[in-house]
Amino acid sequence: MAEDFVWRGQYRPNMFTPDNDRDQLLDIESAGSISEADLAADIQKQGIEINTDTMIDLFSRRRKALLDRLLRGYSYTDDIVQMSPRVTGVFADEGSPFDPAVHKCVIDMSAGSTLRANLGAVKVKITGKKDAGGAKISAVVNTLTGKNDGTMVLGDDISIEGDKIKIADETDSAQGVFFIASDGSEYRVSRKLTMNKPKNLIARVPADLPAGEYTVVVRTKFSNTSTPLKSIREIKYSYKVNAQK
């Protein structure tokens, strides 16, 4: 097929691998929902001379006919979808009756041959990390190495990249860049930030920070509007960092 097809998706943490705090799953963003009127319009673009109301009526009659067949136990196959009846649940023995409290009638559905063949032509564009609030830390970069491999050097700078991470008031001790140890101990960056922008902070790792593993946290009242947030927003980096001498 000549046309390009693109699915857009966002990363989200993989909760099924608790021993790995880095791997991600991809949630595909819906391109929108379609109605029978939308399908009718698409068909009309192909040059067919059937008005929208007539096509929608035909669609409705087809759905009703297909529903009736499926409820009677028929399988259905076309090049887009395959449907087949199935009963879920376990029967105690060969003489056990169907029990609605245990068993359920379902229809299994899978892609038809043409749909399967064309899925290989779909391109995937990753648009970022799923984040309902919009505020996020996307990377913590070691400025000496230029890598975001989780290493940072005591007394040197790190670059924190993300969105809505600007510290609204650096003189407020409740706001700033914090390193949280596994035992809950907190260490705040007291030195003035070299860069303090909505998408980028450059912070000096405290030289007296005990070596070890930490979670980087930004706390701020920054807002995209002229009015600061009334309460502190806490933004955590998803991955652990390791402070080294």
Side-chain angles (χ1 to χ4, degrees):
M1 302 176 74
E3 186 175 356
D4 282 344
F5 299 97
V6 179
W7 290 0
R8 290 172 171 79
Q10 294 180 321
Y11 293 123
R12 65 175 171 87
N14 182 6
M15 305 306 293
F16 297 102
T17 55
D19 294 334
N20 185 341
D21 64 357
R22 284 186 175 267
D23 64 342
Q24 305 285 308
L25 300 177
L26 195 69
D27 283 344
I28 298 300
E29 304 168 24
S30 173
S33 59
I34 58 172
S35 66
E36 290 184 339
D38 294 321
L39 293 175
D42 290 344
I43 293 171
Q44 286 170 333
K45 291 176 183 177
Q46 300 174 21
I48 191 169
E49 295 183 359
I50 301 177
N51 65 49
T52 300
D53 289 342
T54 300
M55 275 197 281
I56 291 177
D57 181 63
L58 289 172
F59 291 158
S60 177
R61 292 173 185 273
R62 177 187 180 279
R63 282 190 291 104
K64 290 177 181 177
L66 179 57
L67 174 63
D68 182 78
R69 291 282 187 164
L70 291 171
L71 293 176
R72 293 179 187 279
Y74 286 84
S75 295
Y76 173 80
T77 301
D78 63 22
D79 62 340
I80 300 298
V81 66
Q82 297 177 351
M83 303 182 187
S84 57
R86 181 167 63 89
V87 170
T88 65
V90 176
F91 292 83
D93 54 49
E94 292 182 359
S96 298
F98 177 89
D99 182 354
V102 178
H103 310 110
K104 182 184 293 186
C105 295
V106 299
I107 296 293
D108 287 336
M109 292 189 288
S110 60
S113 58
T114 299
L115 179 57
R116 290 198 307 271
N118 284 281
L119 283 172
V122 174
K123 299 176 182 177
V124 175
K125 181 177 181 180
I126 299 173
T127 59
K129 182 177 179 180
K130 198 168 187 178
D131 190 300
K136 62 182 179 181
I137 298 174
S138 55
V140 174
V141 180
N142 182 324
T143 58
L144 284 178
T145 64
K147 297 180 179 180
N148 64 337
D149 57 2
T151 62
M152 58 185 190
V153 179
L154 300 177
D156 284 326
D157 289 342
I158 56 172
S159 176
I160 303 172
E161 301 170 2
D163 197 20
K164 298 182 181 179
I165 58 176
K166 180 179 179 178
I167 307 304
D169 182 1
E170 290 191 59
T171 65
D172 179 3
S173 61
Q175 299 185 59
V177 176
F178 296 80
F179 297 98
I180 314 297
S182 58
D183 64 359
S185 302
E186 296 189 359
Y187 303 86
R188 180 177 180 271
V189 174
S190 57
R191 184 179 185 274
K192 183 176 176 61
L193 299 174
T194 304
M195 183 174 291
N196 184 18
K197 294 184 177 181
K199 293 184 179 293
N200 188 210
L201 305 175
I202 294 181
R204 179 67 52 85
V205 180
D208 58 351
L209 184 72
E213 194 173 68
Y214 294 91
T215 297
V216 175
V217 173
V218 170
R219 295 180 182 143
T220 181
K221 289 186 177 181
F222 172 75
S223 169
N224 282 337
T225 68
S226 58
T227 305
L229 299 174
K230 292 183 179 180
S231 58
I232 296 287
R233 170 188 279 149
E234 181 173 276
I235 311 161
K236 290 184 179 181
Y237 187 43
S238 300
Y239 311 120
K240 300 290 186 181
V241 298
N242 195 281
Q244 305 172 355
K245 293 182 179 181

